[in-house]
C-alpha cells in the first residue's frame, strides 16, 4: 500500500522532551507511522497509509503545546 508523506514546521520545541511530546500526540492519529521530529530543525515528518487531515495534525501538535504549519 502506498504511503503518504507529510511534513510540518513546528515552532517552540527546544529539547528532546518537546520532540517526545509531539511524537506522542501525533502518534495517536490513526494510520500515522514512522514519525520523525527534530527540535533542532523544527520539523515534524511522518508517513501514513491513509490520508490525514491537516487540522487533525495541527490539533495534535497544539495538544503537545506547540504550533505547526504545513511545510
Amino acid at each position: 500500500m502506498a504511503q503518504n508523506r507529510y511534513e510540518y514546521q513546528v515552532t517552540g520545541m527546544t529539547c528532546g522532551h518537546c520532540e517526545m511530546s509531539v511524537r506522542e500526540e501525533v502518534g495517536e492519529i490513526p494510520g500515522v507511522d514512522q514519525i520523525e521530529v527534530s527540535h533542532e530543525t523544527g520539523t515534524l515528518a511522518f508517513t501514513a497509509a491513509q490520508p490525514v487531515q491537516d487540522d487533525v495534525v495541527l490539533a495534535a501538535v497544539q495538544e503537545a503545546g506547540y504550533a505547526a504549519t504545513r511545510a
Side-chain angles (χ1 to χ4, degrees):
M1 177 178 269
Q3 295 280 312
N4 299 306
R5 182 167 173 82
Y6 297 86
E7 296 181 3
Y8 295 84
Q9 286 295 135
V10 180
T11 56
M13 295 189 298
T14 59
C15 63
H17 184 267
C18 302
E19 294 173 357
M20 184 178 68
S21 296
V22 171
R23 184 177 294 111
E24 186 175 298
E25 291 296 332
V26 173
E28 293 180 5
I29 300 171
V32 169
D33 194 18
Q34 299 179 354
I35 303 168
E36 302 166 14
V37 183
S38 172
H39 74 276
E40 294 175 342
T41 60
T43 57
L44 160 67
F46 62 86
T47 59
Q50 62 193 38
V52 176
Q53 299 296 316
D54 281 339
D55 59 339
V56 173
V57 177
L58 300 181
V61 172
Q62 186 174 14
E63 182 67 25
Y66 307 97
T69 57
R70 185 88 185 248

